[in-house]
Amino acid sequence: MARRKQPNRGGMAFGRNIMVLGMVPFALGTYAAIQGALTLSWPRVNATIIGCERVWPENDRRNIGTPDNPKGWSTAHLTYFYIAKGQEYTGSAVQPYTLGLVNAGHDQQMCLTYQPHQAVEIAYNADRPDIAYLEPGPSLPALMLSGVGAFMLLCGWRVRVLASRGIGTMNEEGATEHIKRARNAPGGWW
């Protein structure tokens, strides 16, 4: 009869840690995605695009640019005008609950999609009409965070399952010595 391997406690702890770390982006992204989905039921009203301009951060050393794009990355600042509940408002929010994450590709396309004086439809909060979004629904950053968090949770769970079966040798006696010997051997790893 085959002897059952002992659970790899180090691997199980590693899997648990991945799961705990994955819960942060998953919870944050899921909350933002649900809040964004709730904007789909908000009332709609016609709006007019006032303008859209691309803004390049001037004092950011990280924004070094490339030969084909010497100014580097940019963000877009879009404004629109709408009337809700008999009162005039100006808005600039495009997607709800982006969590401060910028989608540079979406921002670059936005100024091409929304031209000045263009008629659009926006969703506004019936309780606070000053809150409105041009593209209601879950934002891409919220969905992305949820996906990354879910992936981390699944990876951590899988590591725990394999470690509970005794698969993995990171805590066995001599595991690091085998790696060192293989690295120092002629024609070793590198």
Side-chain angles (χ1 to χ4, degrees):
M1 202 167 160
R3 197 180 96 191
R4 184 182 159 123
K5 289 185 174 184
Q6 291 292 329
N8 181 343
R9 295 202 185 281
M12 290 179 68
F14 181 67
R16 179 199 63 224
N17 292 344
I18 292 174
M19 290 175 69
V20 168
L21 288 174
M23 289 184 71
V24 173
F26 180 75
L28 192 60
T30 303
Y31 172 78
I34 290 170
Q35 292 298 321
L38 292 175
T39 64
L40 292 171
S41 64
W42 286 4
R44 311 294 171 139
V45 69
N46 290 327
T48 303
I49 301 293
I50 296 172
C52 182
E53 65 177 332
R54 291 176 62 186
V55 179
W56 284 268
E58 295 178 16
N59 297 329
D60 192 344
R61 294 181 322 189
R62 298 170 296 168
N63 195 15
I64 57 174
T66 60
D68 60 330
N69 185 11
K71 287 187 173 182
W73 58 270
S74 66
T75 59
H77 183 70
L78 180 123
T79 52
Y80 48 86
F81 167 80
Y82 64 100
I83 298 173
K85 295 189 172 184
Q87 199 164 3
E88 297 177 355
Y89 295 97
T90 302
S92 62
V94 178
Q95 292 182 330
Y97 296 90
T98 58
L99 306 170
L101 299 173
V102 176
N103 181 353
H106 182 263
D107 280 0
Q108 289 178 0
Q109 191 67 27
M110 193 166 47
C111 286
L112 297 174
T113 305
Y114 300 111
Q115 298 294 319
H117 309 293
Q118 179 181 350
V120 293
E121 186 178 72
I122 56 115
Y124 71 94
N125 187 337
D127 298 328
R128 293 204 41 212
D130 59 317
I131 299 174
Y133 297 108
L134 185 59
E135 298 174 359
S139 67
L140 184 61
L143 295 173
M144 188 176 61
L145 273 177
S146 296
V148 166
F151 180 74
M152 289 176 70
L153 285 169
L154 289 173
C155 287
W157 173 77
R158 184 66 178 151
V159 166
R160 279 188 63 83
V161 167
L162 293 175
S164 70
R165 293 181 189 161
I167 298 173
T169 59
M170 76 163 127
N171 286 349
E172 286 185 7
E173 187 73 33
T176 55
E177 286 78 14
H178 294 304
I179 293 171
K180 186 176 182 181
R181 204 172 324 131
R183 230 167 76 189
N184 293 333
W189 286 0
W190 36 73

